Amino acid sequence: MSTREETVLSVENLQVAFRDGGDITPVLRGVSYRLPKGQVLAVVGESGCGKTVHALSLLNLLPPGGQITGGHIYLDGQDLLALPPEALRRLRGAKISMIFQDPMTSLNPIRTVGKQLVETILAHENISKLRARARAVSLLKKVGIENARQRMNEYPFQFSGGQRQRIMIALALCLHPQVLIADEPTTALDVTIQAQILRLIKKLQRQSGMSAVFITHNLAIVAEVADEVMVLYGGCCVEKAPAAELFARPLHPYTQGLLHSLVSLKKKVEVLPAIEGYPPAPGEPKTGCPFAPRCPHAFEKCRLQMPPLTQENGREVRCWLRGTHA
């Protein structure tokens, strides 16, 4: 386990809600973790569990109506939630950066790729435009864009989906951040391009020594990139463990269901395995464990009381069936 000095990003009891008129809908309900230097944390779960909301909260980029209602986010010991907007803007990109979910819409369609890279660099560093452009060309080469110098003058629509994702990675890394947040970075890409992008992110992460938070619902991706995995369900963490241990011995029934749902290409199945039922809708009243309505092992206590997040052999799990609380 990492010491506090080695921790780059620390999230403590993060709570997020959305306001619509007089209604307040809780979305994240106390998420906590520490990210050591040079490590990759994968955050997994079904759509609607709070993965992207958590990612946007780290940069205070929540959409209208979203607000952080509790907790702390520390980057190198500095509380990001206590910073004024201008100070936080200077940190975005420079110390903590993000690859957004959709490469098709995340780039500005009416500005050349080169201009977007150069503007990002100049907004944070006091260097000449010539030097910024040279760095931008070098970055495009690094992420695998051929004829980078010529392609600096092209617009996003002139690139394929995989190339646009590579450009997004270049944008995220152009200021050498300490922490990279990758929110579903292989969305809408075919499996061959997905594999290329994953290898590229992992290679760049190792070369630079930066830490990364990898948001995904694809457990096959997790096995490729993660050192540790946090499983979200209903806006809270239900299990956190080193990746190898989680795949070898999942503790929470939800994690077990996710892994059971993986389909092997070597084994033919008539019916695809799935977790029965539906995840809770944001704002749906919750008493007890949020997974209880879908859990094959649930008993009365599960439906009445939320289980605490407890330690078990260095891992964390939120389940009444585990540990001394069963």
Side-chain angles (χ1 to χ4, degrees):
M1 182 64 67
S2 172
T3 64
R4 181 177 296 271
E5 286 70 31
E6 295 171 318
T7 299
V8 177
L9 178 69
S10 177
V11 177
E12 299 180 1
N13 195 30
L14 180 63
Q15 300 165 57
V16 177
F18 280 78
R19 183 185 296 274
D20 183 13
D23 297 328
I24 298 178
T25 302
V27 176
L28 285 186
R29 302 188 293 159
V31 172
S32 300
Y33 61 85
R34 296 185 184 278
L35 180 64
K37 182 178 179 180
Q39 297 287 299
V40 178
L41 171 72
V43 181
V44 304
E46 295 168 284
S47 296
C49 69
K51 302 187 300 296
T52 294
V53 167
H54 144 263
L56 294 173
S57 299
L58 298 180
L59 288 87
N60 201 9
L61 291 176
L62 290 168
Q67 57 185 29
I68 296 173
T69 55
H72 299 276
I73 302 170
Y74 295 100
L75 180 64
D76 258 357
Q78 188 173 31
D79 191 350
L80 300 185
L81 301 184
L83 294 177
E86 180 57 28
L88 183 58
R89 188 192 69 80
R90 287 196 297 268
L91 287 181
R92 291 193 197 111
K95 286 196 171 183
I96 181 168
S97 191
M98 186 167 181
I99 304 171
F100 290 94
Q101 190 170 117
D102 186 0
M104 308 302 178
T105 58
S106 297
L107 293 166
N108 189 330
I110 62 171
R111 302 182 83 81
T112 65
V113 162
K115 186 166 288 189
Q116 293 181 60
L117 280 163
V118 169
E119 285 180 345
T120 301
I121 296 169
L122 293 178
H124 291 271
E125 296 188 18
N126 185 24
I127 62 175
S128 70
K129 193 171 182 178
L130 193 63
R131 286 182 60 194
R133 186 173 178 83
R135 187 194 296 182
V137 171
S138 175
L139 278 164
L140 289 183
K141 290 178 180 177
K142 197 171 186 178
V143 298
I145 300 295
E146 296 182 359
N147 302 316
R149 192 174 301 278
Q150 291 76 20
R151 305 211 72 182
M152 285 274 289
N153 300 315
E154 295 182 5
Y155 293 85
F157 77 89
Q158 295 173 280
F159 294 83
S160 69
Q163 289 172 330
R164 274 181 273 192
Q165 190 60 287
R166 290 171 184 271
I167 294 165
M168 287 298 301
I169 294 170
L171 272 168
L173 300 182
C174 66
L175 297 169
H176 313 295
Q178 293 173 286
V179 177
L180 174 68
I181 305 164
D183 184 13
E184 300 276 14
T186 56
T187 296
L189 302 177
D190 65 54
V191 291
T192 303
I193 303 301
Q194 282 186 20
Q196 293 175 4
I197 295 298
L198 289 175
R199 285 196 296 268
L200 175 62
I201 292 174
K202 190 66 177 177
K203 175 184 175 183
L204 295 174
Q205 182 261 332
R206 284 173 172 164
Q207 286 177 347
S208 65
M210 68 182 171
S211 306
V213 179
F214 206 97
I215 314 293
T216 185
H217 63 272
N218 188 334
L219 288 172
I221 288 176
V222 172
E224 290 282 335
V225 302
D227 297 296
E228 191 170 39
V229 183
M230 180 171 69
V231 183
L232 291 186
Y233 188 84
C236 61
C237 172
V238 295
E239 184 166 359
K240 184 152 65 70
E245 293 183 25
L246 184 125
F247 277 88
R249 191 172 68 93
L251 300 180
H252 195 279
Y254 177 59
T255 312
Q256 293 166 5
L258 287 178
L259 292 175
H260 180 66
S261 298
L262 291 175
V263 178
S264 172
L265 295 176
K266 299 178 182 178
K267 185 178 179 182
K268 184 177 180 180
V269 293
E270 297 296 330
V271 180
L272 293 176
I275 303 173
E276 293 187 6
Y278 300 93
E284 183 179 309
K286 298 179 181 73
T287 56
C289 174
F291 188 60
R294 305 173 71 188
C295 181
H297 310 294
F299 52 97
E300 190 63 19
K301 188 175 184 179
C302 302
R303 300 180 180 90
L304 298 177
Q305 297 180 40
M306 167 72 92
L309 194 63
T310 57
Q311 297 279 340
E312 183 171 330
N313 298 323
R315 301 170 57 170
E316 296 180 6
V317 60
R318 189 186 299 276
C319 182
W320 289 120
L321 293 170
R322 311 303 310 184
T324 58
H325 297 282

